[in-house]
Amino acid sequence: LAACRAASQERGCVAVDTAPTYKNEAAVGRALALWPAAFVPFVIVKVPKAVTDPAQVRPTLLKSLGLLGVQCADLLLLHWPSDVVEAGTLTSVWGAMQALVAEGLARGVGVCNFTIGALELLPSPPLLVQVERHPLLPQWELAHYCAARGIVLQAHMPLGGKIGACELLAH
């Protein structure tokens, strides 16, 4: 962990992106505990796709915050739209997420892996949309959609993941 922390700071890491699905929150929390108090990274926490009941949102976030050893998430993201759309609970889960901002447990809300169609089902726009985006999957239509609405578009796997990175770096 100490080597991870040192490498992250050396390379200017300013954010951590976690999710219960990644099973990385406890390890990230241990690493954060080793960082100097003056260094406060931007913390992204995700609500897993299996959380379709709005009553599950708060306990899920509290568990994540506890594992990370932080009091508040800078950004709380709904990880996938599929299950909440299928369950018909997207609006109520989104409302539960927004209530956590009002409560001070998160500073903002956003989404991951949402298409334009899924974004249009939200009752209010997210602050941020995180999707796989790289030269092999530029998602220009989504980029234009977000830009026109003042929504930040964040790429995960900007080098294309395991397979795409090899192809991109070869050029």
Side-chain angles (χ1 to χ4, degrees):
L1 289 175
C4 178
R5 174 191 49 83
S8 296
Q9 288 177 315
E10 182 180 298
R11 288 168 178 77
C13 174
V14 295
V16 293
D17 185 352
T18 68
T21 307
Y22 304 157
K23 298 181 181 358
N24 68 346
E25 293 171 320
V28 170
R30 288 190 302 275
L32 290 176
L34 298 173
W35 292 24
F39 178 78
V40 181
F42 190 88
V43 177
I44 300 171
V45 177
K46 296 187 176 88
V47 175
K49 73 179 230 153
V51 173
T52 59
D53 178 351
Q56 297 173 312
V57 174
R58 188 176 193 279
T60 298
L61 175 60
L62 290 174
K63 181 177 180 184
S64 293
L65 295 177
L67 289 168
L68 292 166
V70 298
Q71 302 297 314
C72 176
D74 292 298
L75 194 57
L76 179 62
L77 303 181
L78 183 54
H79 206 160
W80 288 91
S82 54
D83 289 17
V84 289
V85 169
E86 188 177 303
T89 58
L90 175 60
T91 298
S92 57
V93 166
W94 186 251
M97 291 172 63
Q98 291 178 314
L100 295 171
V101 172
E103 192 177 334
L105 292 173
R107 291 191 176 88
V109 294
V111 295
C112 292
N113 307 306
F114 271 53
T115 61
I116 292 172
L119 287 169
E120 291 181 343
L121 297 174
L122 289 169
S124 59
L127 294 176
L128 178 138
V129 174
Q130 185 187 78
V131 294
E132 180 178 355
R133 185 168 191 246
H134 45 76
L136 300 175
L137 184 63
Q139 300 211 48
W140 290 117
E141 188 177 354
L142 180 61
H144 294 302
Y145 178 92
C146 290
R149 289 157 182 80
I151 300 168
V152 174
L153 183 61
Q154 181 185 50
H156 69 72
M157 291 197 292
L159 291 178
K162 292 177 184 176
I163 296 170
C166 294
E167 185 176 336
L168 288 174
L169 295 174
H171 294 285

